[in-house]
């Protein structure tokens, strides 16, 4: 369907194409909307088109999708439980549209910020991008997973297709708009924000179903060779001007990114919010535990601790020197059964950094203590509950480093799930393999640091089975 409207400034042509029924599209229907302007004066540039009202009408009427994402006119809120699904959408190889994600400044009401700032900011993006707002509770989790591609502090980031979350240089392809720019002029910021999605939409290769539809352009007058040459020159000048504007826009965006990082540094100095796991905090935690053990030993020596609380057991810890040494010393932990691949674990010695070895041994000590209590019927709940309780006693382990389940994305993906089907004795499972989704985060929350996957079987066999200790298993970010 085409509609042509003439005005003093020239001719506007709107084209709507709906195509379905091709076998290779597996039942999908494609919708394409084109708006173009041909000026009345051949020496003038075409007027840039705004996002047409029909785009909003179509999206409100249709259940439009881009890959795994819903394409709507209103931005959807992302809660903490939705982050894993969002990450899968961002990494979807079939995604054609950019995903634009807004954040809520600290202390602002999310609903009010979305209504008064985000929705006006996104008004030119209908049909050009998938739109989201990160709830404050989801922001920390999202940024911990996308450490090279964060967004925060009321800023907005555009994630173009082909996102590579594990590659730091890729971050430059996904521009950031700061809160300062947005609040200076929401209308101007909205126009700037739409520039990249509009450019991608106009340059994207159409699917086969739409390529077969002939295109007709509005013409104002008969063409001649001379007129064609003049038109080509005008088009060339227009393209050169657009490229210059694009370069200036990229330079401006780079300055905005620098401003945003400066704002982050300021917020981190002024805010007491936790921003992910921190190895220094873990070291301080362990140092405080060693101090507690030392004080207990001194009190016991003086007879005061034993008289007041009974005979306490506060053993000192001698850490392994290598991961190979750790495997050799597992015989010291009678309630731990290691069923993993020793070569993978030993390979960590060539890349171990920070306190990986100490964290792994602390985790095994805590698991052994928990398994013993579980076998004796003295443990209620799982290992995470144990770490949060006073029952952990002399072998504490930070609850923040314990995950009892994988994300739904990993659990439902056949290939990713199969990597976590790890060996156990036949007495534990007839198939000699179980889905070991429970794991300890030996390093930080990124996709490089190691993981220790385990299976609790204390009430039956009196053991905790460690099926894997090695580099992070694959997920949607690796």
């Amino acid at each position: 369907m085409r509609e042509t409207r003439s005005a003093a400034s020239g001719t506007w042509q709107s084209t709507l194409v709906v195509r379905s029924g091709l076998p290779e599209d597996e039942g999908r229907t494609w919708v394409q909307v084109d708006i173009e302007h041909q000026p009345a004066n051949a020496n003038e540039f075409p007027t840039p088109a705004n996002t047409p009202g029909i785009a909003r009408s179509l999206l409100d009427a249709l259940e439009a999708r881009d890959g795994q994402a819903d394409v709507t006119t209103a931005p959807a809120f992302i809660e903490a439980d939705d982050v894993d699904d969002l990450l899968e959408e961002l990494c979807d190889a079939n995604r054609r549209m950019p995903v634009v994600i807004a954040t809520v400044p600290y202390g602002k009401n999310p609903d009010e910020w979305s209504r008064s700032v985000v929705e006006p900011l996104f008004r030119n993006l209908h049909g050009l991008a998938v739109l989201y707002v990160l709830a404050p509770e989801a922001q920390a989790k999202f940024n911990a997973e996308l450490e090279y591609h964060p967004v925060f502090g009321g800023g907005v980031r555009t994630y173009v297709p082909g996102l590579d979350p594990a590659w730091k240089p890729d971050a430059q392809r996904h521009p950031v708009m700061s809160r300062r720019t947005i609040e200076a002029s929401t209308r101007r910021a909205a126009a700037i924000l739409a520039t990249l999605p509009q450019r991608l939409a106009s340059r994207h290769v159409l699917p086969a179903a739409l390529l077969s539809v002939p295109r007709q352009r509005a013409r104002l007058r008969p063409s001649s060779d001379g007129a064609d040459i003049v038109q080509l020159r005008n088009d060339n000048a227009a393209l050169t001007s657009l490229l210059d504007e694009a370069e200036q826009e990229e330079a401006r965006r780079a300055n905005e990114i620098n401003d945003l990082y400066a704002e982050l540094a300021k917020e981190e100095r002024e805010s007491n919010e936790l921003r992910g796991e921190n190895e220094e905090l873990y070291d301080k935690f362990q140092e405080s535990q060693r101090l507690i053990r030392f004080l207990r030993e001194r009190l016991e020596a003086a007879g005061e601790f034993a008289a007041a609380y009974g005979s306490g057991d506060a053993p000192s810890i001698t850490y392994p020197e290598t991961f190979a040494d750790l495997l050799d010393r597992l015989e010291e932990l009678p309630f731990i059964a290691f069923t993993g691949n020793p070569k993978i674990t030993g390979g960590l010695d060539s890349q171990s950094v920070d306190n990986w070895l100490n964290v792994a041994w602390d985790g095994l000590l805590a698991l052994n203590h928990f398994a013993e209590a579980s076998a004796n019927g003295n443990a209620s709940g799982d290992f995470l509950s144990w770490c949060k309780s006073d029952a952990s006693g002399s072998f504490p382990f930070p609850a923040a480093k314990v995950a009892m389940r994988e994300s739904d994305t990993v659990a439902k993906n056949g290939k990713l799930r199969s990597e976590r089907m790890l060996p156990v004795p036949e007495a534990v499972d007839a198939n000699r393999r179980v889905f070991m989704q429970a794991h300890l985060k030996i390093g930080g929350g990124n996709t490089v640091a190691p993981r220790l996957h385990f299976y609790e079987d204390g009430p039956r066999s009196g053991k905790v089975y460690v099926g894997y200790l090695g580099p992070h298993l694959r997920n949607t970010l690796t």
Side-chain angles (χ1 to χ4, degrees):
M1 182 176 69
R2 289 189 174 91
E3 179 185 60
T4 303
R5 179 171 57 87
S6 298
S9 61
T11 300
W12 287 93
Q13 178 173 276
S14 305
T15 305
L16 170 65
V17 180
V18 181
R19 185 69 185 268
S20 62
L22 295 184
E24 60 267 27
D25 283 334
E26 301 177 351
R28 286 180 295 184
T29 296
W30 293 94
V31 178
Q32 177 188 2
V33 177
D34 274 318
I35 310 293
E36 56 183 329
H37 174 248
Q38 295 228 356
N41 188 337
N43 296 321
E44 295 179 353
F45 294 141
T47 302
N50 294 322
T51 302
I54 193 175
R56 173 184 285 273
S57 301
L58 286 168
L59 293 176
D60 288 339
L62 304 174
E63 294 183 2
R65 298 186 64 82
D66 176 46
Q68 302 180 33
D70 294 322
V71 184
T72 61
T73 57
F77 265 94
I78 297 296
E79 305 293 342
D81 292 341
D82 303 321
V83 169
D84 290 330
D85 291 334
L86 174 59
L87 295 175
E88 188 172 2
E89 288 181 15
L90 290 174
C91 298
D92 183 7
N94 296 320
R95 177 162 68 93
R96 295 169 57 89
M97 288 183 174
V99 175
V100 182
I101 299 178
T103 57
V104 181
Y106 178 72
K108 293 285 187 180
N109 180 280
D111 292 328
E112 175 60 28
W113 180 261
S114 178
R115 183 170 52 255
S116 63
V117 177
V118 177
E119 290 183 13
L121 183 67
F122 285 179
R123 67 173 179 267
N124 296 328
L125 297 177
H126 304 144
L128 294 172
V130 179
L131 311 175
Y132 292 118
V133 179
L134 272 182
E137 298 78 11
Q139 182 176 309
K141 181 178 180 182
F142 179 84
N143 289 336
E145 296 291 348
L146 287 184
E147 57 181 331
Y148 299 138
H149 305 71
V151 60
F152 40 77
V156 174
R157 190 157 199 168
T158 302
Y159 296 89
V160 300
L163 175 73
D164 187 348
W167 192 39
K168 188 174 183 178
D170 178 68
Q172 300 177 11
R173 297 195 309 116
H174 312 277
V176 178
M177 177 174 285
S178 69
R179 176 186 176 185
R180 182 184 306 170
T181 299
I182 296 168
E183 293 184 325
S185 172
T186 304
R187 178 176 293 275
R188 178 177 177 273
I192 295 172
L193 192 63
T195 301
L196 179 57
Q198 288 172 345
R199 188 163 69 240
L200 292 175
S202 64
R203 294 180 180 178
H204 211 299
V205 177
L206 293 174
L210 295 174
L211 280 174
S212 59
V213 179
R215 297 192 65 185
Q216 296 179 6
R217 294 189 177 275
R219 302 197 67 87
L220 300 178
R221 52 197 172 278
S223 174
S224 64
D225 292 343
D228 285 342
I229 292 174
V230 171
Q231 185 63 41
L232 286 173
R233 288 174 178 171
N234 290 337
D235 290 346
N236 183 63
L239 287 173
T240 302
S241 177
L242 287 173
L243 288 173
D244 290 341
E245 291 179 9
E247 291 176 355
Q248 295 173 8
E249 179 66 18
E250 292 301 321
R252 189 193 58 74
R253 289 186 183 275
N255 292 333
E256 286 185 357
I257 292 174
N258 293 333
D259 291 343
L260 195 56
Y261 277 113
E263 288 180 16
L264 173 63
K266 181 180 179 181
E267 288 180 10
E268 287 181 331
R269 289 193 300 268
E270 297 176 352
S271 173
N272 291 325
E273 290 183 299
L274 294 177
R275 297 183 180 276
E277 295 175 301
N278 189 298
E279 297 295 344
E280 182 180 354
L281 289 178
Y282 181 83
D283 292 339
K284 290 181 179 179
F285 170 83
Q286 292 299 327
E287 183 180 351
S288 67
Q289 294 302 318
R290 287 192 290 271
L291 179 58
I292 291 172
R293 295 189 187 102
F294 172 76
L295 293 175
R296 282 182 174 176
E297 291 171 357
R298 293 293 299 272
L299 288 171
E300 278 193 273
E304 299 174 6
F305 186 87
Y309 303 101
S311 177
D313 185 14
S316 60
I317 298 177
T318 302
Y319 289 98
E321 296 182 1
T322 64
F323 277 96
D325 184 27
L326 178 146
L327 293 176
D328 292 338
R329 290 183 54 186
L330 287 178
E331 61 185 20
E332 300 174 18
L333 310 177
F335 297 93
I336 297 292
F338 182 75
T339 61
N341 188 330
K343 290 184 178 180
I344 293 177
T345 303
L348 293 174
D349 286 328
S350 64
Q351 53 183 305
S352 181
V353 298
D354 298 327
N355 54 1
W356 289 359
L357 189 58
N358 288 3
V359 176
W361 188 249
D362 285 335
L364 289 168
L365 289 173
L367 282 169
N368 184 71
H369 193 202
F370 165 75
E372 180 181 9
S374 181
N376 296 331
N378 296 325
S380 59
D382 57 19
F383 182 61
L384 178 59
S385 301
W386 172 268
C387 291
K388 293 179 178 179
S389 71
D390 295 334
S392 56
S394 301
F395 299 103
F397 192 76
K401 286 188 170 289
V402 181
M404 296 306 298
R405 61 182 298 274
E406 293 281 11
S407 67
D408 290 341
T409 302
V410 171
K412 295 176 182 179
N413 184 298
K415 292 183 179 179
L416 301 182
R417 183 184 177 92
S418 66
E419 290 188 9
R420 292 155 176 83
M421 296 296 296
L422 298 168
V424 293
E426 187 175 4
V428 176
D429 188 274
N431 296 320
R432 296 187 178 183
R433 288 188 178 272
V434 295
F435 180 41
M436 288 194 192
Q437 55 180 334
H439 59 275
L440 307 183
K441 303 171 185 178
I442 302 306
N446 55 47
T447 58
V448 178
R451 295 293 185 262
L452 184 153
H453 286 257
F454 64 93
Y455 179 73
E456 299 178 358
D457 196 50
R460 293 196 305 168
S461 64
K463 299 277 189 181
V464 166
Y465 294 91
V466 176
Y468 181 84
L469 174 54
H472 201 304
L473 294 174
R474 288 190 306 156
N475 60 20
T476 55
L477 302 181
T478 54

